[in-house]
Amino acid sequence: MLRCEHCKVDLPGEQTRCPLCQNKPVGTPDGSGNRFPRLPNPRRTVSRVLIAWLAFGSVCAAAICVMINLIMPAGGWWSLFVIAGIASLWIDVSLIVKKRKNLPKNILWQVIIVTLIAFLWDFLTGFSGWSLNFVFPILCSCALLAMTIVAKARRLDTQDYILYLVIDCVLGIVCFILILTGAVRVVIPSAISFGASIVFLAFLLFFEGKALWTEIQRRFHL
């Protein structure tokens, strides 16, 4: 009788692979016929193949940049910035893929992750303040609009997006704090983000307050 050493089970019939782990069994078939249905060979989806090729291209691009940098080092280690840029891109892409089933949550995570990546880049390049002056407030404002469009287009229940919308409003109010503390030199994007956040938050409290409280109770087990 055939036996799978990985799963430690006996396999009646003439199985060429273990139906549990797909490893090749050892031993001789007992001729009793297959008792398990034949499984089709797994096929890689187009998205997986595309991601694999993009990952391969990213590694090749990083390797070529390092090679050129080693051959012509006069401009400093600029290839490290290329590698950091590629890594930042893949961190963001992996988050998009992982959270793709919950778009409002995905949008909120994009605001947080992209802001952190932008702040890190700003800090490493001398901190001119563009991450706080432009990136953070613009992302907060765009996220409010994006969540609203997604909720209406996909006809989501209020509980499916309201908490993420409130959190984004809170992030928009942080822009006002940045203005008060003088952390931003360009006021217009932060002022717009703050104003939009107050308007959205007021609408949610006045017209969707019950749904918001119900969602808070559900989330925090109150």
Side-chain angles (χ1 to χ4, degrees), residues 12-163:
E14 300 177 357
Q15 295 288 329
T16 57
R17 291 188 178 275
C18 173
L20 300 177
C21 65
Q22 297 299 308
N23 286 323
K24 290 185 177 181
V26 296
T28 56
D30 58 9
S32 62
N34 292 331
R35 300 183 184 180
F36 303 100
R38 291 187 177 275
L39 298 176
N41 293 328
R43 296 181 179 180
R44 303 184 72 182
T45 61
V46 176
S47 59
R48 289 182 177 272
V49 173
L50 179 61
I51 290 176
W53 275 106
L54 290 175
F56 176 72
S58 300
V59 172
C60 291
I64 291 172
C65 289
V66 172
M67 179 182 65
I68 295 174
N69 201 177
L70 290 173
I71 295 174
M72 297 182 293
W77 286 100
W78 54 267
S79 60
L80 296 179
F81 289 96
V82 175
I83 295 174
I86 294 174
S88 301
L89 176 63
W90 276 105
I91 290 173
D92 196 44
V93 169
S94 64
L95 182 63
I96 292 174
V97 173
K98 184 177 181 181
K99 305 291 184 181
R100 66 185 182 277
K101 295 182 179 180
N102 189 338
L103 288 181
K105 187 177 183 179
N106 196 335
I107 293 171
L108 180 62
W109 272 106
Q110 289 300 310
V111 173
I112 297 172
I113 295 300
V114 174
T115 298
L116 291 176
I117 291 175
F119 184 82
L120 181 61
W121 272 93
D122 196 6
F123 178 77
L124 294 177
T125 55
F127 197 76
S128 58
W130 55 267
S131 58
L132 297 180
N133 288 328
F134 300 103
V135 176
F136 179 54
I138 290 175
L139 284 176
C140 291
S141 301
C142 291
L144 291 174
L145 182 61
M147 287 188 197
T148 304
I149 294 174
V150 167
K152 296 301 180 183
R154 303 192 66 175
R155 298 180 179 178
L156 299 177
D157 292 334
T158 306
Q159 287 82 3
D160 293 335
Y161 66 90
I162 189 170
L163 189 60

Side-chain angles (χ1 to χ4, degrees), residues 158-202:
T158 306
Q159 287 82 3
D160 293 335
Y161 66 90
I162 189 170
L163 189 60
Y164 305 118
L165 198 57
V166 169
I167 294 174
D168 190 57
C169 290
V170 173
L171 293 177
I173 295 174
V174 172
C175 295
F176 178 67
I177 298 175
L178 295 177
I179 295 175
L180 292 180
T181 58
V184 294
R185 294 189 296 272
V186 182
V187 178
I188 294 177
S190 296
I192 293 175
S193 178
F194 170 69
S197 298
I198 292 297
V199 171
F200 270 80
L201 189 59

